Amino acid sequence: MLQIVIPAYNEEGRLPRTLRDLRRHVAAHRGVLGRVEVLVVDNASTDRTAEVARAADSSALPVRVLRCARRGKGAAVRAGLLASDADLVCFMDADGATGLDAMEEAWRRLLLGADVVIGSRALAGSDTEARHCRTRSAGAAAYRRLAGRLVPGVADTQCGFKFFRGDLVRRVVGEMRTGGFSFDVELLVLLLAAGARIEEIPVTWTDVPGSTFVPARHGAGAFVELASIAWRRRAFERPVPAAAPAATAVPLPVALPLGGHG
Ligand SMILES: Nc1nc2c(ncn2[C@@H]2O[C@H](COP(=O)(O)OP(=O)(O)OP(=O)(O)O)[C@@H](O)[C@H]2O)c(=O)[nH]1
Ligand SMILES: [Mg+2]
């Protein structure tokens, strides 16, 4: 079974079409994908997000709505992944920006032994014709450079289309602290530290109007979150002081486990 987590904040406008497209896609590829269920994670939406999600529930594509008390996309994805119990889980955005054709390829890679398969708009085969305005693109380029240092080998950390081996992601996502838009970076750091094999696949990506990411409001916060992820990583990388007397030994802090990936 595949469970799809969709974080949703005030998505009454964009979610119905995404769920409709998903239902059609799953029906057409049932032979490959098998049983699929959607978990919409809503927190503090002030519109009819939960109602439109429940209205899309059908036997062809069951849709459940979960509430998450903590705000933010990262917090919602974390709650959805922790609530999952399928062998394969993924998350995707309510805007339907990433073409669903990539689902079968992600599914195939997982079956062939990948632990994590992520959509990437940076690969040669991807199609991302309509991109953001110039200011946002410049900010995104700076962000990519910094994120790339934390997650070496991953060209696009931010695409809202990521597939996981369920047991593995459930094991690490509880450690994730980032509640906002930089959570992908922390999740990938945690997965790399756990020894996960991460593969990127090209996607078709279209800019869908109505983004919940407002650069002026969320941009600085995303960079601050990156700094916090980097700091926690470094703090954990510091050598452990040698030879503490056994009687006074202090337990190691529970933080990001690190495997020397950066
Ligand atoms: N539950 C929840 N979902 C959120 C929150 N903020 C964003 N989301 C969801 O996160 C997903 C991605 O948001 P988008 O608005 O597509 O923004 P983005 O993909 O980062 O940026 P674009 O490239 O402009 O699409 C959507 O499904 C949003 O509804 C939040 O605070 N809570
Ligand atoms: Mg989006």
Side-chain angles (χ1 to χ4, degrees), residues 151-164:
V151 197
V154 174
D156 181 6
T157 57
Q158 297 312 110
C159 184
F161 190 85
K162 293 185 170 67
F163 282 63
F164 312 91

Side-chain angles (χ1 to χ4, degrees), residues 7-9 11 14 41 43 72-73 76 93-95 132 136 211-212:
Y9 178 67
E11 292 286 4
R14 305 194 294 179
V41 188
N43 60 324
K73 180 181 178 184
D93 290 347
D95 59 2
H132 303 298
R136 184 167 168 185
S211 176
T212 60

Side-chain angles (χ1 to χ4, degrees), residues 40-237:
V40 171
V41 188
D42 174 26
N43 60 324
S45 285
T46 51
D47 70 356
R48 296 175 57 254
T49 294
E51 282 99 305
V52 300
R54 280 193 204 99
D57 178 41
S58 68
S59 54
L61 183 66
V63 178
R64 274 197 281 150
V65 179
L66 310 178
R67 294 272 178 195
C68 168
R70 198 175 156 211
R71 296 187 77 144
K73 180 181 178 184
V77 170
R78 181 180 184 275
L81 292 175
L82 283 174
S84 71
D85 56 8
D87 292 342
L88 303 182
V89 294
C90 74
F91 70 80
M92 58 179 73
D93 290 347
D95 59 2
T98 304
L100 295 175
D101 288 345
M103 283 181 77
E104 289 75 60
E105 179 58 11
W107 197 92
R108 197 180 69 82
R109 300 271 194 123
L110 286 171
L111 290 193
L112 286 175
D115 299 309
V116 179
V117 181
I118 64 178
S120 175
R121 296 158 294 184
L123 298 183
S126 51
D127 178 2
T128 58
E129 33 182 277
R131 291 309 313 252
H132 303 298
C133 69
R134 214 180 270 179
T135 325
R136 184 167 168 185
S137 297
Y143 186 94
R144 268 198 301 280
R145 271 197 300 282
L146 293 174
R149 291 198 197 161
L150 294 174
V151 197
V154 174
D156 181 6
T157 57
Q158 297 312 110
C159 184
F161 190 85
K162 293 185 170 67
F163 282 63
F164 312 91
R165 243 181 56 207
D167 60 338
L168 176 64
V169 76
R170 284 188 289 272
R171 183 144 53 82
V172 306
V173 76
E175 297 285 327
M176 194 175 90
R177 298 284 170 264
T178 311
F181 284 98
S182 290
F183 78 94
D184 306 63
V185 174
E186 187 179 8
L187 185 53
L188 293 172
V189 166
L190 288 165
L191 287 161
L192 277 176
R197 186 169 128 198
I198 301 179
E199 294 184 13
E200 283 184 282
I201 58 171
V203 291
T204 304
W205 190 88
T206 322
D207 191 22
V208 180
S211 176
T212 60
F213 182 88
V214 182
R217 196 179 322 147
H218 301 112
F223 279 96
V224 169
E225 284 181 338
L226 266 194
S228 162
I229 296 166
W231 186 82
R232 270 179 287 144
R233 247 176 128 244
R234 280 172 45 160
F236 207 80
E237 263 172 348

